[in-house]
Amino acid sequence: MINYLKESTFAVNDVIQKAWGITKKHYFSIATLCFLMFITASASSLMAFFIKDVSKALSVVMVIIFVLLYFTINLSLFKYIFHLMDDEESDVKIVDTLPTRLQIIRFLVATLYFVGCILGVYLVVILIAFPFIYTGINVAIVKNVAISVGIIAIFITWLRISFFPFFIIDKGATPFDSIKLSLATTKGNFTKILLLLVVLGGGYLIYLLLNYLQWPLIAFIVNMLSSFIIVPLSSVALTVAYRKISSEYKGDEHPDILHNIV
């Protein structure tokens, strides 16, 4: 177990170092795409606030437009990072990395599958916990345990299948295949991915700690540094991690789900 953790730590270090090299070299272009995603999300919230009492139909239309725009920028960011990784010496333009219509459609459909998997896992936990109500155990205890187990199960499921956008952009996978490939390639790599997220989320954890200690000025500085450095680095690091685990994957191109759950 100790050796496994050492190997996982070294693997995470390699990912962070490679991601930092790419981010440092192309910081402004990567940060610009991240900023556009932030602006899109903020603008959609403001728009929803101002037109919520004007027209419900218009609100729905604007939500769809902003969601499509946000996802387009997000996929373009991943595609741009792939180009930077594969063509390090060439001059890559952001406009050339816009996702195709097919990729956007596949991503939207895969997102629905993603949400369905999350809800399905939680439903399974509830169904398993339901019979315990009739065993005489306190209902509140059963409910709390079920919620706790459900949250853990959802987190694990989210982590296992969250790489599906990369397979759509990088491999041209279909929506359902992208979910299955994410599940298959993350098998045996869960600890490495979890460690990577802990490292990348360290800045936000420090920010929360400083807020708890009531050091608002230092917390603000840490939050600003996290926003301008950690967010772009995280996008690159996750893309690098995907490329690493997918290159090491020796399984079938169309894996089944049951053999890759555990």
Side-chain angles (χ1 to χ4, degrees), residues 21-68:
I22 296 173
T23 305
K24 184 171 63 174
K25 188 175 181 181
H26 305 277
Y27 173 77
F28 288 104
S29 55
I30 295 172
T32 297
L33 287 170
C34 292
F35 182 70
L36 286 175
M37 291 172 59
F38 171 76
I39 290 295
T40 302
S42 301
S44 64
S45 300
L46 288 174
M47 188 67 68
F49 175 78
F50 285 116
I51 66 175
K52 63 179 180 179
D53 298 325
V54 177
S55 171
K56 291 184 177 180
L58 181 60
S59 299
V60 172
V61 171
M62 294 306 297
V63 166
I64 294 174
I65 292 174
F66 276 108
V67 166
L68 289 175

Side-chain angles (χ1 to χ4, degrees), residues 9 22 39 52 69 86 92 99 104 139 141 169 172 190 252 261-262:
T9 304
I22 296 173
I39 290 295
K52 63 179 180 179
L69 181 59
D86 298 334
V92 183
I104 295 174
V139 175
I141 295 177
I169 294 295
F190 181 83
D252 188 36
I261 291 179
V262 179

